[in-house]
Amino acid sequence: MPIATRAFAATASDKPLAPYSFERRDPGPDDVAIAIKFAGVCHSDLHIVKNDLGNTRYPIVPGHEIAGIVTAVGANVTRFKEGDRVGVGCMVDSCRQCAPCKEGEEQYCVPGMTQTYGSPDPKGVEVGQTITQGGYSDAIVVDQNYVLSIPDSLPLDAAAPLLCAGITTYSPLKTWNVGPGSKVAVVGLGGLGHMAVKQAAAMGAEVTVLSTSDRKKADAERMGARHFLINSDKDAMKAAAEKFDLIINTVSATHEIAGHLNLLAKDGTMVMLGLSTEGMPVFAMPLLWRRRRVAGSLIGGIRETQEMLDFCAANNIACDIELIAPDRINEAYERMEKSDVRYRFVLDIEKLAA
């Protein structure tokens, strides 16, 4: 039978999120039904709710950092059983036929991955759902191939943001071969940035945090950063020239990046992770002079996401979170716009009002 689901949803770009009820599809043979216990609040949720990209379809239930417990499995499911601790990240399906999908990088699916919320949802038509609905809800049904196992040593609440923030930073660190001897700079110590610091440090890199002020310096050092650099300090920036192999840029707001390119060593790369909606000038000379690159990275595939969860468990890494009741989501959005969170809001879904 379809699963009655309670949630918080956005109904328009200029209205607060509000309680919302709908039905999830009846689990099919390949599906896993999950009771959601915790849902992380990602900055991209805010972009979608506010329709910053111009393609939001309402009503929409955000949330793609999901941690919960399996309540039922379909007849063909072999990877999970009732009672398992599981997670769901930014995607719930892909074409499975294109080259990226076959390579285990479903996030780069050529026709486009099916995102956890806001994508066309042919499987939901039977219960009146035309788009996928996300994790600010108390239940979800997902194909087993897009469900992750959360190791027992990771607290479920602090593990939830790993399904987006954790993999978004882990994937470029792995892609650019970060390890002992690597010199990594992280721009912005927020939800993504604090995960980049912890993971890069655990991989053996020498980590520097670049920020606009020193108010998070103690936090950065606690997380594993060896150095802290104020990017408005011209002398310090000049002294750090050509130092870094990799810069992980996590800032979502429009900001100056051209000056940061001089911090890269020869063949160094700045990877953009923040979902900014405006262009940022980059000049040719700093790139040409040291064969530097500006690149982008999305999340990771299912295989790499499971690898990330296992890595975090082995290295005692989890997100620093502020756990809140779902009815405080609009307050959380207001604070997130002011960067007033250390370092990720997580919704305690069991406090979702009846």
Side-chain angles (χ1 to χ4, degrees):
M1 294 180 59
I3 300 173
T5 304
R6 298 171 300 160
F8 264 75
T11 57
S13 63
D14 58 350
K15 293 182 179 180
L17 280 80
Y20 177 69
S21 296
F22 66 105
E23 289 186 329
R24 298 284 192 187
R25 69 177 186 268
D26 182 37
D30 298 304
D31 286 333
V32 176
I34 301 165
I36 299 176
K37 301 299 182 183
F38 302 100
V41 180
C42 180
H43 203 280
S44 60
D45 298 345
L46 179 61
H47 281 302
I48 299 302
V49 166
K50 299 293 187 182
N51 196 25
D52 289 342
L53 304 182
N55 58 2
T56 302
R57 297 172 61 188
Y58 302 98
I60 191 163
V61 178
H64 55 210
E65 299 180 337
I66 299 167
I69 303 296
V70 175
T71 56
V73 298
N76 296 339
V77 174
T78 58
R79 299 177 55 231
F80 303 99
K81 63 182 185 306
E82 287 185 39
D84 283 354
R85 295 155 41 94
V86 295
V88 178
C90 300
M91 59 183 162
V92 292
D93 210 343
S94 64
C95 82
R96 313 188 196 195
Q97 301 299 318
C98 67
C101 282
K102 290 181 177 180
E103 293 165 359
E105 294 194 316
E106 303 94 340
Q107 74 274 31
Y108 300 122
C109 176
V110 174
M113 63 176 171
T114 300
Q115 297 182 70
T116 303
Y117 65 90
S119 284
D121 186 18
K123 294 180 179 179
V125 172
E126 63 187 69
V127 288
Q129 295 300 317
T130 58
I131 62 171
T132 53
Q133 302 288 6
Y136 296 7
S137 59
D138 62 4
I140 194 167
V141 178
V142 180
D143 185 290
Q144 65 171 330
N145 292 294
Y146 297 82
V147 177
L148 289 308
S149 178
I150 296 179
D152 290 341
S153 63
L154 290 175
L156 272 184
D157 54 359
L162 295 177
L163 278 304
C164 174
I167 185 57
T168 298
T169 52
Y170 183 86
S171 188
L173 291 172
K174 293 293 289 186
T175 298
W176 275 273
N177 300 311
V178 168
S182 298
K183 293 185 176 181
V184 175
V186 177
V187 182
L189 193 69
L192 292 179
H194 91 290
M195 289 308 306
V197 171
K198 291 183 179 185
Q199 292 169 339
M203 292 173 183
E206 180 181 331
V207 182
T208 299
V209 169
L210 277 69
S211 187
T212 57
S213 76
D214 65 357
R215 65 189 180 94
K216 295 181 179 179
K217 182 177 180 180
D219 283 357
E221 292 173 347
R222 171 177 58 82
M223 294 169 187
R226 298 261 299 276
H227 312 285
F228 197 93
L229 180 62
I230 307 299
N231 51 23
S232 60
D233 185 335
K234 294 181 180 179
D235 290 339
M237 291 286 282
K238 185 176 180 180
E242 304 191 29
K243 178 177 180 180
F244 302 109
D245 306 304
L246 182 69
I247 298 177
I248 300 289
N249 191 328
T250 70
V251 178
S252 295
T254 301
H255 61 290
E256 191 277 332
I257 64 170
H260 289 66
L261 294 177
N262 289 320
L263 302 179
L264 290 169
K266 184 176 74 71
D267 290 325
T269 303
M270 177 186 287
V271 182
M272 307 299 294
L273 301 184
L275 184 59
S276 55
T277 56
E278 298 178 18
M280 290 177 279
V282 174
F283 303 105
M285 188 59 72
L287 299 177
L288 302 178
W289 200 246
R290 290 293 184 268
R291 202 163 60 195
R292 299 166 174 135
R293 304 171 184 85
V294 177
S297 182
L298 200 54
I299 51 171
I302 295 299
R303 181 176 60 212
E304 188 174 52
T305 304
Q306 188 63 60
E307 177 187 304
M308 176 275 303
L309 288 168
D310 295 339
F311 174 86
C312 287
N315 289 277
N316 196 30
I317 294 172
C319 290
D320 288 22
I321 66 170
E322 183 174 337
L323 192 62
I324 61 171
D327 61 8
R328 291 181 57 200
I329 183 60
N330 294 298
E331 173 193 340
Y333 274 22
E334 291 175 3
R335 287 179 55 193
M336 192 160 56
E337 286 187 291
K338 301 173 184 176
S339 299
D340 179 23
V341 54
R342 294 192 178 185
Y343 282 89
R344 202 67 152 187
F345 287 116
V346 173
L347 303 183
D348 185 347
I349 298 299
E350 291 190 324
K351 293 183 178 178
L352 194 65

